[in-house]
């Protein structure tokens, strides 16, 4: 098979810029594609928060003009190989020197997001031309890079560098579509003829993800179950008809885990490492977690971990309704790390005052603490209303921390329900998106810990032996790329 050249366009990529799982995926997939013999480069914005010294960013190319409609925007390009693949950064102060990647401190979306990320998409394609990098595949991630799909088809059909490239769009979360006023269309260079309900228009506004879904050669999302769910009116976020129209050109590919970063036997963030064969280090991590979160120092009491964006999707408002009842009725502790929604930050942030020793909360974003919670907890809860894939349940399995999840999207695909008769399974699942289902499922998990410890231990061993490495998923992406190329012919 001929090695493929792929350019990935993304608004996030580990280790440079991360707010969620998108960054983990874009930081890991290129590395695995490389192992499989392909070449993938990544293009992302040079946000002011990215540490240029730490990541050894070097200027590359002379000042670089990007055509946006009829106007040319001048930017600079930097690159680095520290992540094991070449990452290119588009420096454009007007758009990327901001407090946040997508919104201000009050969580208000920047009003020029369509321009910002349309610019990123166009700059990435024009960068390929400037570098003489003729990709087989342009792989766009989420709405921020979706405009590249339309540009590829509508602008670059006959281009000597980009003309033969096929477009692949991966949807990490259908509920974020990049919907903005249509007045940016001339600047984006989209052309009013493409602004209609079957392409870029949704209810009188510009919908960047929809344009991408219609224009890409292949579309994917991040688990087979979410691919099915998004084709229904319940979870299709208004785009189900367009995803159904794609037939067998819309795939669900489960995310993998970068076990280089997420393995308890080599995790550099942990006070002690451990493996399935020797769990002593996990007990040390639990002790450290109880100390850090001011929980009662007691190895016998199970800890339920939470690491999450505080967003409606994650169901933490439902957990909020029952968490006080849970710690009142059951002998269990919670270690919670997250940020986002201000009222949830206040609610969870205040809990330790009333439930000291039983609930510990850290409001903020902290990579090291997220690893400590994965390792030191006994259970990990994800009460998601919907979850395209979810990565923390995959990390939890590897860390022998049994997931308690709502059976939705990738959570349902990756966690095997506990069977009380046999002791088989890797976690605890519930279906009804209700606070009482959370209460009872946590109760089920906690009673398993106390009353059926042999089952808990057996499940822990099974969980730690699960393999969600990127190799398998990347091989499916290669198939997707090949199909995209055949369609593009
Ligand atoms: P999503 O992308 O929807 O947020 P995922 O489960 O796919 O959900 O990925 C979340 C990623 O972000 C995980 O790597 C998780 O550890 C990380 N994460 C989320 N919140 C925090 C936080 N407050 N501190 C550190 N890491 C976090
Ligand atoms: C999105 C989804 C999450 C998924 C991640 C990476 O942020 O919410 O479920 O794991 O993207 O694909």
């Amino acid at each position: 098979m001929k090695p493929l050249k792929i350019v990935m366009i993304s608004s996030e990529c580990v280790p440079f810029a991360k707010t969620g799982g998108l960054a983990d995926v874009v930081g890991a997939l290129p590395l695995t594609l490389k192992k499989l013999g392909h070449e993938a480069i990544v293009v992302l914005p040079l946000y002011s928060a990215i540490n240029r010294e730490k990541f050894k960013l070097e200027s590359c190319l002379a000042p670089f003009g990007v055509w946006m409609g009829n106007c040319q925007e001048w930017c600079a390009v930097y690159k680095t190989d520290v992540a094991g693949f070449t990452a290119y950064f588009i420096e454009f102060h007007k758009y990327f020197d901001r407090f946040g990647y997508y919104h201000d401190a009050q969580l208000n979306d920047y009003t020029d997001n369509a321009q910002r990320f349309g610019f990123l998409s166009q700059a990435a394609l024009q960068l390929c031309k400037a570098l003489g990098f003729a990709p087989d595949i342009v792989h766009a991630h989420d709405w921020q890079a979706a405009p590249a799909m339309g540009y590829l088809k509508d602008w670059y059909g006959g281009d000597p560098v980009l003309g033969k490239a096929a477009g692949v769009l991966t949807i990490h979360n259908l509920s974020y579509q990049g919907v903005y006023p249509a007045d940016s269309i001339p600047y984006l260079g989209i052309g009013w003829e493409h602004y209609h309900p079957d392409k870029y228009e949704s209810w009188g506004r510009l919908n960047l993800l929809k344009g991408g879904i219609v224009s890409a050669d292949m579309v994917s999302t991040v688990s087979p179950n979410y691919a099915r769910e998004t084709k229904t009116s319940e979870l299709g976020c208004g785009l189900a008809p367009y995803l159904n129209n794609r037939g067998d050109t819309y795939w669900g590919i489960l995310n993998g885990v970068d076990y280089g970063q997420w393995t308890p036997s080599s995790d550099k963030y942990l006070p002690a490492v451990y493996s399935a064969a020797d769990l002593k280090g996990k007990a040390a991590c639990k002790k450290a977690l109880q100390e850090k979160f001011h929980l009662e120092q007691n190895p016998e009491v199970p800890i339920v971990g939470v690491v999450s964006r505080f967003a409606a999707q994650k169901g933490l408002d439902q957990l909020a309704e029952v968490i006080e009842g849970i710690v009142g009725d059951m002998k269990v502790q919670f270690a919670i790390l997250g940020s986002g929604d201000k009222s949830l930050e206040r609610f969870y942030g205040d809990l330790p005052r009333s439930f000291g020793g039983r609930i510990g909360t850290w409001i903020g974003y902290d990579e090291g603490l997220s690893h400590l919670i994965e390792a030191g907890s006994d259970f990990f809860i994800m009460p998601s209303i919907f979850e395209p894939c979810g990565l923390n349940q995959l990390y939890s399995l590897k860390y022998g921390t049994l997931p308690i999840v709502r059976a939705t999207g990738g959570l349902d695909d990756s966690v095997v329900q506990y069977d009380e008769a046999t002791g088989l399974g890797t976690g605890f699942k519930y279906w009804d998106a209700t606070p009482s289902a959370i209460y009872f499922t946590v109760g089920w998990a906690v009673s398993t810990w106390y009353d059926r410890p042999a089952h808990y231990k057996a499940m822990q061993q099974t969980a730690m032996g699960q393999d969600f490495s990127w190799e398998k998923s990347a091989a499916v992406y290669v198939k997707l790329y090949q199909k995209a190329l055949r369609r593009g012919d």
Side-chain angles (χ1 to χ4, degrees), residues 11 17 30 42 45 57 78 114 180 192 243 265 267 295 301 342 424:
S11 58
V42 176
L57 264 55
Y78 289 76
Y180 294 101
W192 289 106
L243 293 169
S265 58
D267 190 324
L295 297 168
V301 179
K342 294 297 160 206
L424 296 176

Side-chain angles (χ1 to χ4, degrees), residues 18-25 172-173 176 255 262 307-310 313-314 337-339 362-371 374 380 382 387-393 395:
K18 167 169 168 176
T19 67
L22 165 68
D24 297 65
V25 171
H172 295 261
N173 193 330
Y176 301 109
N255 284 334
W262 293 96
V307 178
S308 187
R309 290 185 292 119
F310 287 176
Q313 161 195 356
K314 302 292 180 183
L337 167 66
S339 60
W362 196 286
I363 299 298
Y365 187 94
D366 190 310
E367 195 66 30
L369 274 187
S370 72
H371 287 245
E374 287 290 1
F380 191 95
M382 298 175 74
E387 194 61 76
C389 178
L391 293 173
N392 286 101
Q393 84 282 10
Y395 304 152

